[in-house]
């Protein structure tokens, strides 16, 4: 067993190290605290940050203040913010960005150490609760499913832990933002009614939720395909190299 | 006869190997050689699908959040504006990445499979290999076959 492993496979899916751009990870933490950690497979703290982000943001009415600010209504923005909550947000927010950035850099170093080691990941895991196997999957399909509903792409790539979290939060955010009711009104032509019914505080979670989930699905599918290739290559080199095998040269036909 | 075939990494290469064993081809007559990629392409570059989309997703999120906010004050409302600005953000980010990145065609890593088999089985095995997504195949004949 190598001391530093590159990937681990269980019935909850694959966790793996790969070469990441720390700025991209930091960006996702800034867009939605918790997403950066989810990309790094740090699901426990990622989910803690999710919970805090939504709890504090909703109570501080931060998204609503953003809506007012972008619309130029600075007085309304100032009035709507709840100072009891907003000051909690600041240290939490910047710690989250910094922590994911720092972790990404450290994990890149670990990845450099682990990549020449023997790959110990199992090709297939069968447990009572689930069956997981390494396979090639299409990254674009994963991304598109998560665009429709954050979490579905994660199920497709067998990232069960983020899939559960994302699906639950999609449900909660969609319910409170009333986005689908607004879509229904838009379709029937009632544009003003749609704008009135939708809740800006909750609706503003959607851009980062949808695109973050989609990016996570895309990136992790690409990397899992890479692990599949590495594992298969290792297997073929170990098992399918007969001792006295030789390749015959073709005989040139005499003219 | 000797059959040389080219495959990409997928589950079908493993299915081929087990099918060959079932057709009574001795494991000693099968060689599988996964090829390494050229050294420059193992270093991850902007050509990868994922890297090419990094900026697209980033700009889509930012533009979508701002667009949806401003949309509350505009005619078509936050949902339509949010979606429209997200799409615009994604496309501009994607274009920037594509323009900045040098477009080199990235190829998948491949595997060479070599099978030695008696002449009578050649056709059957070739069919099998084609059926399981071999991307190229050739036959060579040898005067005195060392194994059969």
């Amino acid at each position: 067993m190598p001391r530093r492993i590159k990937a681990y496979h269980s019935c909850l899916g694959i966790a793996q190290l790969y070469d990441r751009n720390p700025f991209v990870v930091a960006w996702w933490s800034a867009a939605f605290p918790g997403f950066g950690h989810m990309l790094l497979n740090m699901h426990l703290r990622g989910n803690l940050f999710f919970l805090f982000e939504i709890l504090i943001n909703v109570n501080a009415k931060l998204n609503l203040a953003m809506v007012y600010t972008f619309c130029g209504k600075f007085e309304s923005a100032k009035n709507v913010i709840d100072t009891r909550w907003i000051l909690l947000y600041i240290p939490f927010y910047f710690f989250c960005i910094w922590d994911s950035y720092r972790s990404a850099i450290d994990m890149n170093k670990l990845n450099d150490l682990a990549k020449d080691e023997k790959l110990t990941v199992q090709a297939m895991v069968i447990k009572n609760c689930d069956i997981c196997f390494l396979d090639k999957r299409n990254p674009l399909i994963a991304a598109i499913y998560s665009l429709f509903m954050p979490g579905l792409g994660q199920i497709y790539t067998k990232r069960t832990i983020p899939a559960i979290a994302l699906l639950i939060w999609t449900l909660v955010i969609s319910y409170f933002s009333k986005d689908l009711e607004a879509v229904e009104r838009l379709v029937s032509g009632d544009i003003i009614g749609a704008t009135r019914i939708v809740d800006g505080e909750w609706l503003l979670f959607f851009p980062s939720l949808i695109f973050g989930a989609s990016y996570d699905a895309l990136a992790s599918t690409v990397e899992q395909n890479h692990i599949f290739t590495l594992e298969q290559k290792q297997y073929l080199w170990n098992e399918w190299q007969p001792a006295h095998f030789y390749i015959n040269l073709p005989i040139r036909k005499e003219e | 006869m000797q059959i040389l075939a080219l495959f990409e990494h997928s589950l079908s290469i493993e299915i081929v190997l087990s099918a060959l064993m079932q057709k009574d081809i001795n494991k000693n007559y099968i060689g599988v050689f996964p090829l390494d990629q050229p050294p420059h392409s193992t270093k991850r570059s902007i050509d990868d699908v994922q890297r090419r989309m990094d900026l697209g997703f980033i700009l889509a999120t930012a533009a979508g959040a701002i667009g949806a906010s401003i949309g509350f004050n505009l005619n078509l409302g936050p949902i339509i504006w949010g979606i429209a600005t997200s799409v615009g953000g994604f496309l501009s980010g994607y274009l920037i990445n594509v323009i900045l990145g040098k477009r080199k065609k990235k190829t998948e890593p491949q595997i060479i499979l070599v099978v030695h088999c008696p002449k009578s089985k050649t056709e059957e095995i070739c069919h099998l290999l084609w059926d399981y997504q071999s991307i190229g195949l050739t036959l060579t004949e040898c005067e005195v076959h060392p194994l059969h």
Side-chain angles (χ1 to χ4, degrees), chain A residues 18-21 24 27-28 31 63 66-67 70-71 73 133-136 139-140 143 147 178-179 182-183 186 191 194-195 198-200 203-204 207-208 211-212 214-215 218-219 222-223 228-229 231-233 235-237 239-243 245-251 253, chain B residues 2 4 8-11 13-14 17-18 21 27-37 44 49-51 53-54 57-62 64-66 68-80 86-87 90 108-109 111 114-116 140-143 145-147:
Chain A
Y18 59 87
D19 187 30
R20 292 176 171 90
N21 182 346
V24 171
W27 156 260
W28 287 114
N63 280 348
M66 262 170 67
V67 171
F70 285 128
C71 292
K73 302 175 187 162
F133 48 91
L134 294 180
D135 190 8
K136 270 206 169 163
L140 288 180
L147 278 185
K178 308 200 184 85
D179 63 326
V183 167
L186 277 182
I191 292 173
T195 307
V198 82
D199 185 328
L203 186 75
L204 273 223
S208 33
F211 291 108
S214 196
Y215 178 77
L218 180 89
V222 169
E223 294 305 330
F228 170 79
T229 305
E231 196 277 337
Q232 188 173 56
K233 203 170 179 175
Y235 159 74
L236 293 173
W237 275 121
E239 296 289 320
W240 290 90
Q241 310 283 317
F245 192 81
Y246 45 94
I247 296 172
N248 295 304
L249 295 170
I251 300 165
K253 292 251 160 54
Chain B
Q2 174 183 262
L4 292 136
E8 286 186 349
H9 278 278
S10 75
L11 284 181
I13 176 81
E14 292 180 43
L17 292 175
S18 81
M21 304 285 280
K27 203 173 167 180
N28 288 325
Y29 301 162
I30 304 172
V32 186
F33 310 94
L35 302 183
D36 279 332
Q37 295 237 268
R44 324 252 286 109
V49 202
Q50 174 211 341
R51 293 283 152 120
M53 294 203 178
D54 274 0
F57 279 103
I58 288 173
L59 289 189
T61 315
I66 297 171
S69 306
I70 297 175
F72 274 95
N73 254 10
L74 296 178
N75 261 340
L76 292 171
I79 292 185
I80 290 183
S86 301
V87 172
F90 183 84
E108 289 283 309
I111 304 167
V114 184
V115 189
H116 292 178
T140 62
E141 207 170 343
C142 13
E143 212 158 12
H145 199 287
L147 295 165

Side-chain angles (χ1 to χ4, degrees), chain A residues 95-225:
Chain A
F95 174 78
C96 181
I97 296 173
W98 171 77
D99 187 58
S100 66
Y101 176 80
R102 171 195 70 84
S103 305
I105 290 177
D106 286 349
M107 284 165 84
N108 281 348
K109 288 180 194 156
L110 291 175
N111 182 42
D112 277 346
L113 288 173
K115 74 178 170 216
D116 297 326
E117 297 270 10
K118 188 172 171 293
L119 202 63
T120 52
V121 64
Q122 275 179 285
M124 172 158 212
V125 181
I126 299 190
K127 291 275 153 66
N128 298 77
C129 58
D130 209 346
I131 295 179
C132 274
F133 48 91
L134 294 180
D135 190 8
K136 270 206 169 163
R137 298 191 171 89
N138 187 339
L140 288 180
I141 288 182
I144 288 169
Y145 268 116
S146 272
L147 278 185
F148 286 131
M149 185 164 182
L152 293 186
Q154 276 70 18
I155 289 188
Y156 172 71
T157 58
K158 294 267 182 193
R159 278 165 72 72
T160 310
I161 301 173
I164 293 171
L166 288 171
L167 282 172
I168 291 175
W169 285 122
T170 306
L171 216 65
V172 171
I173 294 170
S174 180
Y175 177 81
F176 283 110
S177 71
K178 308 200 184 85
D179 63 326
L180 295 177
E181 272 174 86
V183 167
E184 193 263 319
R185 287 183 188 210
L186 277 182
V187 170
S188 56
D190 181 9
I191 292 173
I192 297 164
T195 307
R196 199 169 299 147
I197 197 171
V198 82
D199 185 328
E201 170 60 38
W202 288 92
L203 186 75
L204 273 223
F205 285 125
F206 264 121
S208 33
L209 181 72
I210 288 176
F211 291 108
S214 196
Y215 178 77
D216 173 75
L218 180 89
S220 47
T221 311
V222 169
E223 294 305 330
Q224 285 180 20
N225 287 348

Side-chain angles (χ1 to χ4, degrees), chain B residues 6 12 22 35 55 67 83 90 98 101 105 118 132 141 148:
Chain B
L6 199 62
S12 42
Q22 277 171 12
L35 302 183
L55 195 62
I83 293 171
F90 183 84
V98 168
K105 180 113 175 64
Y132 284 104
E141 207 170 343
H148 294 284

Side-chain angles (χ1 to χ4, degrees), chain B residues 3 121-131 137 139:
Chain B
I3 305 172
K121 283 188 180 172
T122 316
E123 200 176 335
E124 187 189 359
I125 289 174
C126 285
H127 275 297
L128 178 90
L129 298 180
W130 284 127
D131 284 348
L137 189 157
L139 286 168

